[in-house]
Amino acid sequence: MAFLEVRNLAKSFPSPAGVRHVLKDVRLDVEQGEFVSIVGTMGSGKSTLLSLLAGLTSPDGGTVVLDGKPVTGVSGDAAFVFQNYSLLPWFSALENVRLAVQAAFPDAAAAEQKRRATEALERVGLGNALDRKPRQLSGGMRQRVSLARAFATEPRMLFLDEPFGALDALTRDALQQDLAQLCAGRERPVTTVMITNSVEEAILLSDRIVPIVAGPPASLGSPIVVELARPRTLAQLAHDEQATHARAHVVAALTASMQRRPRNSSTGSPTALSATEPAKASGQA
Amino acid sequence: MKRVINLLLPLCGIGMALGAWYGASLAVSDLPSPWRTWEESKVYILEPLAYRGESDQGILLLAYYSLMRVARGFLLGIAIATPLGFLLGVSSTLTRMFDPIMQVLRPISPLAWLPLGLVLFQKSEPAALFAIAVCSMWPTVINTMMGVRAIPQDYWNVAKVLRLSRTTTFTKIIVPATMPYMFTGYRLSLGIAWLVIVASEMLTGTPGVGGFLWQEYNSLVYAHILLAIITIGVVGFALDRLMGLAEARLRAS
C-alpha cells in the first residue's frame, strides 16, 4: 500500500453557468519518500487537487488515504508551502516558524521550540535574519522562511503549491537547490507532492512527474519516472538525454490536452489522471 | 515659501470665519461679537484651573470633568463592542441574528437613550455613561466585524495548515489582523462619545463643558455659550488627532 493513496477523487464547484467539474476520477499513488510533481497549465485544477490531498478542502467523491488513515482534515504529519508565502506580517521570521513549531510540538519546552525554529531558519541560510519582519525580506527570503516553517515541524508528508511561482528566475534556481538539499539532508526522507507549471522544475526535483490533462473529454496523464542521479543541476539537465525525453513527454501530454480543450473552457470539463502505472522514460528513448 | 503658505491659508480661513461671526453679531443683537466673547470669557481661559464654586470653574477643569466622563463611557462602550464585533465577524449566524436589531439601535439619538438610562439607573451619572456607551459602541462593533471578515484567506490557510487551536488562531491571527480596523472603530467611537457627552450633561445638569453651556444659556450669558462651543470643538479635534496618531503608530509597527 502506497504512503499516499488517491482513488476516484472528484471535485466540482457551483458557477453561474452550472456546476463546474474541476476534477474527476483522479487516481494517484505516492510511495514513502518519493518526490512527485504534478505539472499542469494555469486553471487546470492543480491547486484544487493539492488542497484536496492536503485535507484543506473536502472532495465531492473519492478517497485520500495517508499512511493508512483516511484524510478528513489537515494531517498532523503534513506541512504545506504556498505560492504566496503566507507568512504573518506582524511576526518576525523566527516567530512565524515558532508558531508552527509550537503547534506541532506543544509539549516541548519553550527553549527547545525556539532552538528548533532557529535551526530550521539557519538551514535555509537565514540565521542572520531571525528578527526581521516578512516585509523586510525579499521574495526569495520569504519563501525560505516558508520552507523553514514547513521543515521545522519534521513533517512526513510535504505539499508544495507552486512554491517558486512568484520568484524571479535566478532566485528560483537557488531555492530549487535549497529545497533539493532540504529533502535530501534528512534522516527520514520526506514524501513530497509538488504542484508546478514548470516542466524544468519538475525534472530537476522529482522522482516521478504526472501531467494534469485537462479535458473534455476527460483524459489520462501518463506519469513519467525521472531516473537521473542526484544532485541534479539545471545545466546538466539541458543536455541530458533522459531529461530531454522526459521534457518532451510531459510537454507533449500538456499540449495535446490544450488542443483538445475548447476555446471557451468556462463550462469546464472533468480532468482525469491516473498515475498508478508509470511509463518509464528511459525505455522509450 | 511653501511653509508660509501652509500656515497662512488656515489663518485666512479662521479670519474669514471670525469675520462672518462678527457680521452675524451686528445683525443679531443677542449674539456677542468675537471681541466681546473674548472679554467676557478670558477669566475662564486665563485661569483655566480656577475653582470659584460648582458653577464657576476654569475651562480646563470643566473640560477635564467632561473628558473623565467620556473616558468611562467610551471604555465601557468598547469593552462591550470589541468582543461583540469579533463574535459577529466570526459567525455569520450571529450576524444574521443581530444585524436587524443593530441597524435599528444605531441611529437612535443620545437624547433618546438618556431618559431610558435615568429610568434604569435612577441617577444621572450612570445614565450618562449608559448613553455614551450605547451610542458610541456601533462604529467599533461594525469595524471590528468588517476587520475579521477582511482577513485574507491566506491567514486562515496558515491556521488550518499549522492546525492552530481556536485560542491560538484568535490571539495570533485574528486579533493582529483586525487591529487596524479596530482602531479606526475606536477613533470613530470616541468622536461619537464626545458628541454625546454634551447632550447628556445638558440634560442632567452635571458639571462639565456641556453642563456649563446649558447653565450659562439659562443665565443669559451668551458669550460663555460661544466659549463652551469653541472648547467642545477644540477638545474634540484634539481627541481625534490623538487617536489618529495612535492609529498611525499601530499601522507602522
Side-chain angles (χ1 to χ4, degrees):
Chain A
M1 191 177 184
F3 188 63
L4 181 71
E5 250 188 31
V6 184
R7 292 288 177 271
N8 306 324
L9 210 59
K11 182 75 182 172
S12 55
F13 294 104
S15 80
V19 179
R20 203 161 67 86
H21 295 279
V22 180
L23 295 166
K24 201 179 167 190
D25 294 334
V26 176
R27 188 181 167 85
L28 178 71
D29 283 330
V30 182
E31 298 301 329
Q32 185 142 22
E34 196 181 17
F35 194 123
V36 171
S37 288
I38 297 171
V39 185
T41 50
M42 276 173 72
S44 56
K46 334 189 265 302
S47 290
T48 308
L49 174 56
L50 200 66
S51 299
L52 292 174
L53 299 189
L56 277 171
T57 45
S58 41
D60 299 337
T63 53
V64 180
V65 177
L66 177 65
D67 196 19
K69 293 182 285 276
V71 170
T72 49
V74 178
S75 157
D77 288 331
F80 210 107
V81 175
F82 299 95
Q83 177 178 4
N84 50 9
Y85 326 125
S86 291
L87 300 175
L88 302 174
W90 44 85
F91 285 149
S92 68
L94 181 64
E95 286 164 336
N96 265 292
V97 178
R98 253 183 100 165
L99 188 64
V101 176
Q102 278 165 356
F105 309 103
D107 300 327
E112 166 68 7
Q113 290 173 344
K114 191 182 175 189
R115 188 190 60 77
R116 274 177 190 272
T118 312
E119 269 182 21
L121 282 162
E122 280 167 352
R123 271 202 298 275
V124 294
L126 288 178
N128 55 359
L130 298 179
D131 296 323
R132 286 208 235 158
K133 296 273 172 70
R135 73 185 140 76
Q136 297 168 308
L137 301 170
S138 67
M141 287 164 100
R142 284 183 212 176
Q143 197 56 298
R144 283 201 168 92
V145 176
S146 192
L147 282 174
R149 179 172 67 184
F151 278 91
T153 62
E154 300 193 357
R156 299 175 65 206
M157 182 75 226
L158 189 60
F159 296 106
L160 309 170
D161 186 2
E162 301 204 45
F164 312 124
L167 303 175
D168 64 82
L170 288 173
T171 314
R172 196 181 310 148
D173 293 351
L175 265 128
Q176 285 164 351
Q177 293 300 342
D178 282 3
L179 175 61
Q181 271 176 17
L182 284 169
C183 288
R186 289 160 51 89
E187 298 151 26
R188 190 174 59 171
V190 61
T191 310
T192 308
V193 175
M194 178 174 79
I195 296 287
T196 181
N197 55 25
S198 158
V199 180
E200 216 56 31
E201 181 171 284
I203 296 174
L204 184 72
L205 294 165
S206 324
D207 298 312
R208 199 147 52 91
I209 302 173
V210 186
I212 271 207
V213 185
S219 54
L220 302 171
S222 67
I224 184 160
V225 174
V226 185
E227 287 181 324
L228 293 162
R230 294 173 200 264
R232 305 169 183 167
T233 65
L234 282 175
Q236 167 203 342
L237 294 188
H239 305 293
D240 185 273
E241 199 179 319
Q242 204 209 137
T244 310
H245 178 77
R247 195 178 298 122
H249 178 96
V250 177
V251 170
L254 291 176
T255 31
S257 86
M258 290 283 283
Q259 279 157 2
R260 277 202 303 276
R261 220 167 159 188
R263 278 283 146 79
N264 177 12
S265 62
S266 65
T267 50
S269 55
T271 296
L273 81 91
S274 162
T276 43
E277 295 156 52
K280 287 212 170 183
S282 48
Q284 296 159 11
Chain B
M1 189 60 203
K2 209 174 169 190
R3 285 177 67 180
V4 176
I5 288 178
N6 280 346
L7 203 70
L8 227 55
L9 285 177
L11 284 178
C12 280
I14 293 170
M16 283 161 82
L18 286 173
W21 175 1
Y22 180 72
S25 76
L26 292 180
V28 183
S29 59
D30 273 345
L31 182 72
S33 69
W35 178 248
R36 237 187 78 206
T37 305
W38 166 250
E39 279 293 312
E40 290 182 22
S41 311
K42 67 181 177 192
V43 63
Y44 291 95
I45 299 165
L46 297 177
E47 293 172 48
L49 297 173
Y51 184 87
R52 291 177 292 269
E54 171 103 65
S55 57
D56 189 13
Q57 307 182 35
I59 198 70
L60 274 187
L61 214 52
L62 290 171
Y64 170 76
Y65 297 143
S66 297
L67 277 173
M68 280 302 110
R69 206 166 287 125
V70 160
R72 274 178 290 160
F74 168 70
L75 288 178
L76 180 67
I78 64 172
I80 301 167
T82 312
L84 194 61
F86 278 119
L87 279 177
L88 292 178
V90 173
S91 159
S92 62
T93 315
L94 284 179
T95 307
R96 272 181 297 174
M97 217 186 254
F98 290 111
D99 190 64
I101 302 182
M102 248 168 56
Q103 300 304 339
V104 170
L105 293 183
R106 212 154 56 93
I108 297 174
S109 151
L111 296 168
W113 285 115
L114 206 63
L116 181 64
L118 287 168
V119 171
L120 284 172
F121 302 105
Q122 307 292 327
K123 283 195 195 124
S124 64
E125 196 64 30
L129 295 189
F130 168 76
I132 294 169
V134 89
C135 287
S136 68
M137 62 190 278
W138 305 115
T140 299
V141 173
I142 289 166
N143 271 278
T144 308
M145 182 180 89
M146 303 277 265
V148 175
R149 299 238 176 99
I151 296 177
Q153 186 58 41
D154 284 355
Y155 299 164
W156 295 118
N157 280 344
V158 170
K160 254 183 169 178
V161 163
L162 300 184
R163 305 208 309 160
L164 301 181
S165 66
R166 273 164 184 264
T167 328
T168 313
T169 306
F170 182 71
T171 56
K172 306 272 178 172
I173 294 184
I174 300 180
V175 170
T178 313
M179 202 78 96
Y181 289 83
M182 231 157 73
F183 253 74
T184 306
Y186 289 169
R187 185 181 184 174
L188 297 171
S189 285
L190 188 59
I192 292 183
W194 186 245
L195 283 179
V196 174
I197 188 73
V198 175
S200 73
E201 282 178 358
M202 282 170 76
L203 277 182
T204 57
T206 38
V209 185
F212 175 72
L213 196 159
W214 195 242
Q215 165 205 317
E216 295 305 288
Y217 167 72
N218 286 328
S219 344
L220 311 176
V221 192
Y222 298 142
H224 293 170
I225 297 179
L226 291 159
L227 168 70
I229 288 176
I230 293 168
T231 309
I232 291 164
V234 170
V235 173
F237 173 67
L239 280 181
D240 192 61
R241 267 300 156 90
L242 278 176
M243 284 303 273
L245 279 178
E247 210 182 328
R249 283 197 66 156
L250 189 91
R251 277 180 203 276
S253 71

